[in-house]
Amino acid sequence: MRLRPLGRTGLAVSEIGFGCGPTAGLMIEGAEAPRLEAVARALTLGINYFDTAAKYGDGRSEANLGRVLRKLGARPTVATKVALQVADLEDIAGSVIRSVEGSRARLGYDRLDLVFLHNRVGERRAATAAVGSGPLLDVDDVLGPGGVIEGFTRLRERGIVSFVGCCAYGGDAAAVGRLIDSDQFDAMLVNYSLLNTSAWSPVRHDDTGLADYHQTGAAAAARGMGLVALRVLEGGRLTGVSDDPAAVCGSASVGTMDLAEVAVRFVLANPQVTTALIGFSDVAQVDAAVRYAASGALSPDVMAAVGGQLQRLRCPSR
Ligand SMILES: NC(=O)c1ccc[n+]([C@@H]2O[C@H](COP(=O)([O-])OP(=O)(O)OC[C@H]3O[C@@H](n4cnc5c(N)ncnc54)[C@H](OP(=O)(O)O)[C@@H]3O)[C@@H](O)[C@H]2O)c1
């Protein structure tokens, strides 16, 4: 498994990251044995980056991940997240600190490697956000006095958090751009996939309904931030396994390659992506992702075929 630098943090993390969120659900629900097996296999194959959140399964993802890693005697890089609720907006910095203390207890770690702000950011506060749960924050909630960064700074000063990140999945690209320009964040979660390349490329999505991230991924990379790609398989849509009727859009193969392989290798072909997060349901999916990453860059023929199919894949559906 190749490692890539996580921006300017000095951390080197695996090209494939282990997603512990609800999309696959393995780290939140069900028996311990398959969880243990999948995490053990991932570690053996060189995956050293795990993504969880206080919100995933109301803390169960963090607790399960912490316990499984302790059983395996492993200490990979673990990223978690703070998701503020409307009531937390009365005391944002304090709420950030309390959330991180909860994550620390559930994971069983004294020091957290990386903590992302899970809330999306827009030009104006709103009680709910179109993507994700909890309120949409405005830029001042994050950067202003008593805001998220103040909470993060206090935690860093106490040695409890090493690095912090923000999120470009939903929200407003201009507001995200202001977070990037603030130079307060070390990393960013970014929606980047075969279907939606707008975090790097100027793409017109027209009637597809896909969000336009206005090249925020490239802007963050230019500032030295690490870039963690999510929705690499569009939650299963790029494997044809989703319940979403639009899954049919992703059921094709490109040449002899499964679309999931093309999707993963496409994201990793971008050298500014640090790691491609994948939600795994079982060991076979861990094996597959690692195999895809090991196959390296897509050939020019496949890239050309992918280009030809992109428009069809982006059928108006979401
Ligand atoms: N910050 C945020 O707001 C945010 C949002 C979304 C995700 N995330 C993070 O990103 C992680 C990934 O989530 P995602 O939404 O981006 O999902 P994703 O990785 O695009 O898709 C995951 C789904 O793909 C399927 N899959 C995985 N490997 C496969 C393979 N080799 N062949 C066929 N199918 C395969 C699984 O489907 P089955 O379930 O059918 O097996 C799995 O549920 C999450 O766990 C979380 O850590 C963060």
Side-chain angles (χ1 to χ4, degrees):
M1 171 65 57
R2 275 180 288 268
L3 303 181
R4 298 188 183 191
L6 186 76
R8 59 185 172 232
T9 63
L11 296 172
V13 303
S14 48
E15 286 183 331
I16 299 292
F18 195 122
C20 303
T23 323
L26 178 71
M27 298 305 292
I28 295 175
E29 289 149 347
E32 181 88 331
R35 228 175 352 250
L36 199 60
E37 189 189 14
V39 173
R41 180 71 68 89
L43 292 164
T44 301
L45 294 177
I47 291 179
N48 72 356
Y49 184 87
F50 290 74
D51 176 90
T52 182
K55 191 168 72 85
Y56 295 161
D58 287 328
R60 291 198 302 283
S61 170
E62 289 180 327
N64 288 336
L65 178 63
R67 189 181 58 255
V68 163
L69 291 175
R70 271 193 304 284
K71 284 183 186 173
L72 296 169
R75 182 58 175 91
T77 296
V78 172
T80 191
K81 309 185 192 81
V82 170
L84 299 172
Q85 302 305 309
V86 172
D88 297 329
L89 302 182
E90 296 296 315
D91 173 18
I92 294 178
S95 301
V96 165
I97 291 168
R98 284 186 287 280
S99 174
V100 168
E101 292 288 11
S103 294
R104 207 160 70 117
R106 283 185 293 274
L107 281 161
Y109 285 177
D110 286 339
R111 185 185 183 99
L112 299 179
D113 305 313
L114 176 56
V115 179
F116 286 96
L117 173 63
H118 213 160
N119 295 74
R120 279 55 173 181
V121 179
E123 287 307 322
R124 253 172 253 98
R125 251 191 205 182
T128 55
V131 177
S133 64
L136 187 73
L137 305 186
D138 67 26
V139 173
D140 204 47
D141 290 331
V142 182
L143 301 179
V148 172
I149 284 296
E150 188 174 311
F152 280 158
T153 302
R154 284 197 233 155
L155 289 161
R156 291 174 94 158
E157 285 169 356
R158 286 167 54 197
I160 286 174
V161 169
S162 300
F163 301 106
V164 300
C166 59
C167 182
Y169 174 41
D172 176 79
V176 171
R178 289 173 62 194
L179 300 193
I180 293 167
D181 290 344
S182 75
D183 273 334
Q184 296 289 336
F185 292 97
D186 306 294
M188 189 167 83
L189 286 153
V190 59
N191 179 186
Y192 183 62
S193 74
L194 267 178
L195 285 190
N196 193 335
T197 58
S198 64
W200 269 271
S201 321
V203 186
R204 286 196 56 187
H205 283 149
D206 299 322
D207 298 328
T208 61
L210 294 167
D212 188 341
Y213 291 103
H214 291 279
Q215 297 156 271
T216 42
R223 290 271 181 186
M225 293 166 67
L227 274 309
V228 178
L230 52 77
R231 306 300 288 174
V232 170
L233 300 175
E234 290 288 344
R237 194 172 163 212
L238 287 175
T239 64
V241 297
S242 166
D243 290 338
D244 181 350
V248 69
C249 300
S251 64
S253 62
V254 178
T256 56
M257 257 186 281
D258 187 274
L259 192 59
E261 174 170 359
V262 180
V264 172
R265 291 175 65 189
F266 174 83
V267 167
L268 291 178
N270 181 339
Q272 293 185 335
V273 167
T274 308
T275 185
L277 275 189
I278 315 241
F280 298 119
S281 289
D282 53 33
V283 166
Q285 291 183 352
V286 174
D287 286 343
V290 172
R291 203 171 54 244
Y292 301 156
S295 303
L298 293 168
S299 70
D301 284 359
V302 174
M303 284 302 272
V306 168
Q309 292 199 33
L310 277 182
Q311 207 47 46
R312 186 178 62 80
L313 290 171
R314 290 189 190 116
C315 56
S317 54
R318 351 182 57 211

